[in-house]
Amino acid sequence: MTQPSINWHLKENARDHHTSKLSSKELTVRRGQAFTLTFNGTGQPEQNLTFIAETGPKPSKQAKTQAMFGISSTVSKDSWSAVLQSTTSNSVSISISSPANAVIGRYKLNLQSTSSGSSSPANLGTFVLLFNPWSSGDDVFLPNEAECEEYVLEEFGIIFAGNKHHINSFGWNFGQFQGDILNICLSMLDRSLNYRQDPATDVSHRNDPKYVGRVLSAMVNSNDDQGVLLGNWSGNYEGGKNPSSWTGSGEILQNWKKSGFKPVRYGQCWVFAAVLTTVLRCLGIPTRTITNFSSAHDADGNLRVDEFYDASGNHLNRGADSVWNFHVWNESWFSRSDLGPSYSGWQVLDATPQEESGGIYQCGPASRNAIKEGDVDLDYDCPFVFAEVNADCMYWNYDPTNGKKTLMFSESTVIGQFISTKAVGRDDRVDVTNDYKYAEGSTKERDVFKKARKKLGLEDKFDPTAPTPEEIDQKPDMSGKFKVAGPLEVGKDLNLILVLANLTSDAKNVQVNMTAWSTVYTRRPIREIWKDSMSVTLAPQEEKQFPIRISYTEYQEHLTTDNMIQVTALCHVAGGIQVLVQRDVTLDNPAIDIQVLGEAEVNKVVDVEVIFTNPIDMEVMDCVLQVEGSDLLRGILQIDVPTLKAGEKSSTKFKIIPSESGPKHLLVNFSCDKFADIKAYKIINVIG
C-alpha cells in the first residue's frame, strides 16, 4: 500500500499523557490511555485498515509484544484498539488505546490494508509507551495527583544523610526528562542479563513493574552486568569521581552511554538510589529515595549484626556485618498481584550492591507492609531489608592474640532510626519509620521480630556464634556517653565530653582507652587520628565529666569526604564487664551562598553569583565550582576558582538561560583541597 504521511499530534498527546517535559521528537505516551494520530494518502477505505503495534526483537501475539487491530466503534479495555475520530476527503484521525497492562518500551506502528492482498504494511514510525500512574487500571496507579507530580514528574529531589544525631541533606537533580535520558533508560533494559539470555521473554515481562524494578536494581550497579555505576567505599577515589561530588543523575547516565556503556566510577548508596529514581520516574513508576539511619548490613542472614573492638577501643574491620551511619534505597509504588492487596503500595528496591539475590546483585521489590508485619518469607529479599531496619546489635571485645571474643553488650533498639524521605511538594523531611516497624520497645515490635526469626528458621537452630542468655543478661557496673561541646564544623577543633557514671554503691577503678578514627559513612575505619588513655576512680554512684579535644590539625589530613569521625572509649572496669562508649560525629562544611542577580525569564540571560568565604587560617587551593539545574542550563558548568587566603571571600559569577517557566532548582557543588563537596541549591522562579 502507499506510504501515508502522518501527524503524531506530539504536543496535544504529550499534554494529555503527562509527557510534555520530555525533550524527545518521538511520540511518548502512557499505557491504558488513548492517543490521537492523523494520516492521509492511504487510498483505502477505513474499514480495510489494520494496525500492527510491535515491540522487542521477536514480536508475537502470544507474548503480548505484538497487537493487530482494525478500526472499531468502541475502545477495548483488555486489548489494543483504534477508534475513528473524524475523516475528511483525504485524511483520517484515529484514537489508539493500549491496555493498562501493555508491555512498555519502544513500539513500531505499521498499517496494513486487508483489501490489497498480501502487500507489505506501511511503516508509520515509532512511539514509546510508558507506565501510567494516572490510570486506575495500571499496576502503578497512584490516586493522589500531588504524589504523581512529585514521584513521577519532579526532577529535583532532596537526599538525607549524616547520622542519627545530626541529619543533614543535599539537593539532587534527577533530570529524568532531559536530553537522551529516556533512550538510555530503555538501553539499560536491553543490556540486562535477562535480555541477553532470552530477549523475547525479557521484553514480554516488561508489562510488570515488579519485574522492571528488579531488573533495573541490578543494572544501576555494575556487578554482574556492566551496569551503570561502579561502587567504591575505600576512601580512595582515584581513577574516577568521588561519589560525594555528583549533583545529579544525568551526567552519570550520559557518561555511561558515551563510554560505550562502561561502568561510571564511582558510586555509593545515595548515588545508586538517585540514579534508580531517575530511571524509574522516567519510565513512569512512582519512586522516591529513602534514608535509613543506623542501617544494618546483615551479611549472614541471622537478623543480628556483630561489631568487634580490640582492648584499645579500635573498631575492628572483622566479619561481614556492619552498621552504616545511613543507607539510601528506593521505594516504588505498585500493586502486588503475586502477594495480595495487603502487600501493595510502597515497595523497597535497592541498587547498592550489598548481597546477592538469585545469584546477582539486585534487591527487591520487598513489600514495605511485609517488612512491618515480619512476613519475611515473601518475595523479594524481605529478610535483608527487615534486618536493615530491625536487626539486633552485638558489641564484642575481640583479642586477636587468641581469637577470644567477649560480649560487652547487645542492643535491640539502635538499628533503623529516623527513616526519612522528602515531603510531597515541599523541601522538608518526612519521617516514615512507623511505616517500616512498630514502635521500638513495644510488645508488638518484639512479637514481629520473633515472628520473622521463626519464619527464617532461626528460633530452633543452634547458633554457636550467638551470645549465651547469661552474657546478654549481665549488667555493667558503669555507664558512659559522649556529649558534644561546641560546633561540629570542618576547620574547627572537635570538642566532646566523656561522661562516666558509676552505677554501683562501691568505688570503681576504670582504665579508659580512647581512639578516634576517620571513617566513611558505612563506619568503615580509614585512619586513626587520635588516641589517649587514662585511669579513673569513680566513687559510689558518682558521675564524672572528662573534656576531650581533637584539634583540626590532628584530623585535617585524614578526614574522608564524608566528614565523619568515630570516637570510642573502651572502659575496663576492675572486676566487672567492659563498657563500650562510642559516638559517630559528622562535621558540617562551611556554607556557600547563591544569589540570582535579576529576574529569571524564559530564554533570557540572567547572572548568578556564588559566594564562599574561607573560614580557616590557612589558604585553600584547587577550588572548583560545579553547577547544574534542569531547565536552567544545559549539561554541567565547571568553573575554576582562584586560591583563597585565610579568611578571604570569593565571588564567582556565571550566566544561565532558563528554558522553561516555573520554580526551578539550581544546584552548586564547591570543592577545594581542605573542603570536599560543599553543596547548596537555590529555587529560582522563572517567569514565562
Side-chain angles (χ1 to χ4, degrees):
M1 68 184 275
T2 53
Q3 179 68 40
S5 67
I6 185 162
N7 177 356
W8 292 97
H9 298 290
L10 291 177
K11 207 169 176 176
E12 298 81 358
N13 283 323
R15 184 192 61 224
D16 293 345
H17 286 253
H18 302 93
T19 56
S20 300
K21 286 184 163 187
L22 278 164
S23 43
S24 162
K25 296 282 173 279
E26 181 179 29
L27 178 69
T28 305
V29 289
R30 299 186 186 277
R31 64 187 192 175
Q33 186 178 336
F35 61 92
T36 304
L37 43 97
T38 303
F39 52 86
N40 55 23
T42 63
Q44 298 288 334
E46 296 81 57
Q47 63 270 26
N48 290 350
L49 298 176
T50 301
F51 291 94
I52 307 163
E54 49 189 32
T55 186
K58 289 184 189 163
S60 83
K61 280 184 192 163
Q62 194 187 353
K64 295 199 161 63
T65 51
Q66 182 189 59
M68 298 178 80
F69 49 99
I71 293 177
S72 55
S73 54
T74 55
V75 172
S76 159
K77 242 179 121 57
D78 306 318
S79 59
W80 289 76
S81 57
V83 174
L84 187 63
Q85 296 291 90
S86 63
T87 56
T88 64
S89 56
N90 61 351
S91 74
V92 183
S93 273
I94 303 280
S95 169
I96 292 181
S97 300
S98 59
N101 63 350
V103 166
I104 61 111
R106 178 168 280 113
Y107 279 78
K108 284 192 197 106
L109 187 63
N110 293 325
L111 189 59
Q112 195 163 21
S113 163
T114 45
S115 64
S116 53
S118 58
S119 75
S120 58
N123 178 10
L124 297 179
T126 63
F127 65 94
V128 176
L129 193 67
L130 303 177
F131 291 101
N132 192 351
W134 287 269
S135 164
S136 60
D138 200 304
D139 282 342
V140 303
F141 174 56
L142 187 56
N144 182 314
E145 178 68 32
E147 290 182 353
C148 287
E149 288 280 333
E150 180 74 43
Y151 299 135
V152 180
L153 300 182
E154 180 56 65
E155 294 191 74
F156 172 79
I158 288 175
I159 295 171
F160 297 93
N163 66 48
K164 65 185 177 192
H165 302 293
H166 188 78
I167 296 174
N168 54 36
S169 64
F170 52 89
W172 189 273
N173 185 20
F174 294 124
Q176 65 267 33
F177 302 120
Q178 303 300 308
D180 204 21
I181 297 299
L182 175 57
N183 283 328
I184 296 171
C185 296
L186 296 174
S187 302
M188 284 171 76
L189 290 170
D190 288 348
R191 303 188 74 78
S192 73
L193 292 179
N194 294 28
Y195 184 87
R196 287 185 228 169
Q197 283 154 9
D198 184 348
T201 304
D202 170 74
V203 172
S204 73
H205 287 314
R206 292 184 191 172
N207 64 326
D208 182 355
K210 294 190 299 296
Y211 180 83
V212 171
R214 187 160 172 80
V215 164
L216 290 169
S217 82
M219 276 305 296
V220 167
N221 67 65
S222 65
N223 307 46
D224 317 303
D225 49 26
Q226 291 291 294
V228 177
L229 273 162
L230 180 63
N232 180 348
W233 288 266
S234 69
N236 173 7
Y237 308 115
E238 277 174 39
K241 254 183 102 149
N242 176 337
S244 62
S245 69
W246 303 108
T247 48
S249 310
E251 184 186 6
I252 294 166
L253 290 164
Q254 304 279 10
N255 287 357
W256 183 59
K257 184 182 178 185
K258 274 185 211 147
S259 70
F261 301 103
K262 290 191 180 70
V264 175
R265 296 162 186 253
Y266 293 106
Q268 289 173 355
C269 69
W270 67 92
V271 191
F272 292 109
V275 170
L276 187 54
T277 303
T278 297
V279 176
L280 293 173
R281 284 186 184 182
C282 183
L283 296 177
I285 301 178
T287 302
R288 61 191 190 179
T289 60
I290 297 284
T291 302
N292 179 37
F293 291 94
S294 295
S295 188
H297 177 168
D298 172 23
D300 49 9
N302 60 1
L303 301 190
R304 199 183 79 218
V305 285
D306 299 299
E307 288 205 342
F308 299 93
Y309 294 81
D310 67 14
S312 306
N314 292 308
H315 182 178
L316 302 174
N317 223 345
R318 258 190 74 72
D321 288 354
S322 54
V323 179
W324 295 17
N325 276 329
F326 68 90
H327 178 44
V328 185
W329 60 69
N330 294 92
E331 282 179 0
S332 289
W333 178 274
F334 46 85
S335 63
R336 292 298 299 263
S337 50
D338 56 328
L339 304 180
S342 61
Y343 299 105
S344 293
W346 289 115
Q347 312 290 322
V348 174
L349 291 162
D350 193 343
T352 299
Q354 288 179 290
E355 296 296 326
E356 288 186 1
S357 169
I360 61 175
Y361 284 96
Q362 59 189 349
C363 180
S367 160
R368 195 180 69 181
N369 291 353
I371 303 302
K372 182 165 182 175
E373 299 301 335
D375 295 325
V376 291
D377 49 341
L378 300 179
D379 288 341
Y380 296 84
D381 308 308
C382 282
F384 184 75
V385 181
F386 183 87
E388 287 183 305
V389 298
N390 280 308
D392 283 351
C393 213
M394 309 285 164
Y395 300 88
W396 304 85
N397 178 230
Y398 179 78
D399 185 345
T401 58
N402 58 15
K404 188 167 176 283
K405 60 179 193 158
T406 316
L407 183 74
M408 292 183 283
F409 70 107
S410 65
E411 285 270 19
S412 64
T413 59
V414 297
I415 298 296
Q417 299 193 39
F418 303 109
I419 306 176
S420 303
T421 192
K422 176 189 175 295
V424 172
R426 306 191 318 278
D427 291 351
D428 300 331
R429 185 182 82 88
V430 173
D431 194 296
V432 293
T433 311
N434 293 338
D435 296 322
Y436 276 86
K437 55 186 176 180
Y438 291 94
E440 285 290 6
S442 68
T443 324
K444 183 74 177 161
E445 187 267 339
R446 282 290 94 185
D447 288 349
V448 166
F449 189 76
K450 284 182 192 135
K451 173 183 174 184
R453 280 185 63 82
K454 196 168 179 189
K455 287 199 170 206
L456 295 173
L458 296 169
E459 289 293 279
D460 321 313
K461 207 163 64 182
F462 173 67
D463 180 358
T465 66
T468 63
E470 296 76 45
E471 282 183 300
I472 287 178
D473 290 342
Q474 60 190 355
K475 293 282 180 281
D477 295 333
M478 60 167 289
S479 70
K481 63 180 177 190
F482 282 111
K483 288 204 311 203
V484 172
L488 296 176
E489 291 173 27
V490 180
K492 298 209 163 99
D493 296 349
L494 173 58
N495 289 293
L496 301 170
I497 294 167
L498 174 62
V499 182
L500 298 178
N502 182 353
L503 304 175
T504 70
S505 44
D506 304 316
K508 292 289 172 191
N509 294 319
V510 187
Q511 171 65 28
V512 184
N513 294 338
M514 298 176 287
T515 63
W517 285 70
S518 64
T519 71
V520 285
Y521 76 98
T522 62
R523 291 177 63 252
R524 178 186 171 176
I526 301 295
R527 286 292 292 270
E528 183 181 79
I529 53 178
W530 173 87
K531 70 176 182 189
D532 201 0
S533 62
M534 59 185 178
S535 296
V536 175
T537 303
L538 294 172
Q541 306 292 336
E542 183 185 18
E543 182 178 285
K544 272 189 180 171
Q545 301 199 349
F546 304 93
I548 289 166
R549 169 173 292 192
I550 301 169
S551 70
Y552 176 53
T553 48
E554 284 174 297
Y555 72 74
Q556 180 243 316
E557 276 187 34
H558 303 309
L559 196 62
T560 67
T561 51
D562 294 336
N563 293 350
M564 288 182 181
I565 294 171
Q566 187 182 59
V567 188
T568 305
L570 193 58
C571 306
H572 301 264
V573 186
I577 60 170
Q578 296 168 359
V579 172
L580 176 72
V581 187
Q582 60 165 357
R583 177 87 182 223
D584 291 290
V585 174
T586 304
L587 302 178
D588 285 331
N589 273 324
I592 189 162
D593 187 39
I594 309 168
Q595 297 291 339
V596 183
L597 310 174
E599 193 135 66
E601 286 184 59
V602 173
N603 297 330
K604 297 225 173 126
V605 175
V606 64
D607 287 311
V608 178
E609 180 180 30
V610 174
I611 296 157
F612 173 72
T613 304
N614 175 10
I616 55 175
D617 56 7
M618 50 180 92
E619 70 174 18
V620 299
M621 301 152 60
D622 309 325
C623 307
V624 178
L625 186 68
Q626 186 176 302
V627 188
E628 74 168 290
S630 289
D631 304 329
L632 292 173
L633 66 166
R634 280 170 182 252
I636 291 188
L637 192 60
Q638 193 159 308
I639 304 164
D640 291 330
V641 177
T643 296
L644 288 172
K645 295 189 173 61
E648 190 181 351
K649 181 163 119 176
S650 80
S651 155
T652 309
K653 286 188 181 151
F654 54 89
K655 295 179 189 313
I656 59 171
I657 306 176
S659 56
E660 294 275 337
S661 63
K664 304 294 170 186
H665 290 79
L666 187 74
L667 295 92
V668 303
N669 185 74
F670 178 83
S671 275
C672 58
D673 63 337
K674 301 289 191 297
F675 302 103
D677 306 310
I678 302 174
K679 288 182 156 50
Y681 67 87
K682 177 97 174 169
I683 300 173
I684 299 177
N685 282 305
V686 180
I687 50 182

